[in-house]
Amino acid sequence: MIQQLPTPADTKAYGHKLAKLLKPGDLLVLTGPLGAGKTALTQGIAAGLGVRSPVTSPTFIMARVHTDGRVPLVHVDAYRLGDSPDLAGEIDALDLDVTAEDAVTVVEWGSAVAHRLAEDYLEVRIARRDDSEERQAELVAHGTTWPARLSSS
């Protein structure tokens, strides 16, 4: 399922729409090159979850927790975590104030780590041409629950 996203505002709106599918315990993995729109998509997801605090890239702190929405949002940048032999331990060491079962977790740069975090997750592959703001987002279901959830939406 590929979605055309002509502008950054469309990327945020798509994230807002995706938020309607999400519930506590869900893991979303965002993949795509630098500047593809992963943070913009996360901002839309946050808005759809009712998060009122600013959502910015967690690149330098690795994770941010937003607890002011209908469901807590954990926003992780896994760019520097991909090679870790103890990814789960490193994420636990971030002391996020909320457990993954109680929150929606969005992991940017997560393709190398997703399978170590959960069997069921939704991957959002974002592509962007160098000469355009237009993006394409593709949803890829992993595990047993996401295919049915996507087909019923």
Side-chain angles (χ1 to χ4, degrees):
M1 159 184 328
I2 296 178
Q3 179 73 39
Q4 299 296 326
L5 306 168
T7 68
D10 293 316
T11 302
K12 289 179 185 178
Y14 186 63
H16 195 280
K17 179 180 169 185
L18 280 177
K20 295 176 185 175
L21 297 173
L22 303 177
K23 61 184 182 190
D26 282 345
L27 172 64
L28 273 76
V29 174
L30 310 183
T31 63
L34 186 65
K38 294 178 291 292
T39 300
L41 185 71
T42 304
Q43 289 168 340
I45 291 168
L49 294 175
V51 171
R52 294 176 305 280
S53 56
V55 174
T56 59
S57 177
T59 299
F60 297 106
I61 61 164
M62 289 197 236
R64 294 185 194 277
V65 178
H66 302 275
T67 58
D68 57 343
R70 69 173 168 83
V71 175
L73 172 67
V74 177
H75 183 197
V76 178
D77 185 324
Y79 186 77
R80 296 184 307 230
L81 295 177
D83 295 332
S84 172
D86 182 24
L87 178 66
E90 287 203 36
I91 290 175
D92 284 345
L94 295 174
D95 197 22
L96 299 175
D97 298 333
V98 63
T99 65
E101 297 83 30
D102 297 330
V104 168
T105 302
V106 175
V107 181
E108 295 188 27
W109 300 99
S111 61
V113 300
H115 65 283
R116 297 188 317 191
L117 295 174
E119 289 182 27
D120 283 326
Y121 62 94
L122 181 63
E123 180 181 358
V124 184
R125 295 177 184 165
I126 306 171
R128 176 179 168 223
R129 291 193 342 235
D130 290 337
D131 61 345
S132 172
E133 286 295 311
E134 186 168 338
R135 294 157 171 83
Q136 289 183 327
E138 178 182 12
L139 300 180
V140 180
H142 294 268
T144 58
T145 64
W146 275 105
R149 286 174 67 184
L150 289 177
S151 69
S152 67
S153 64

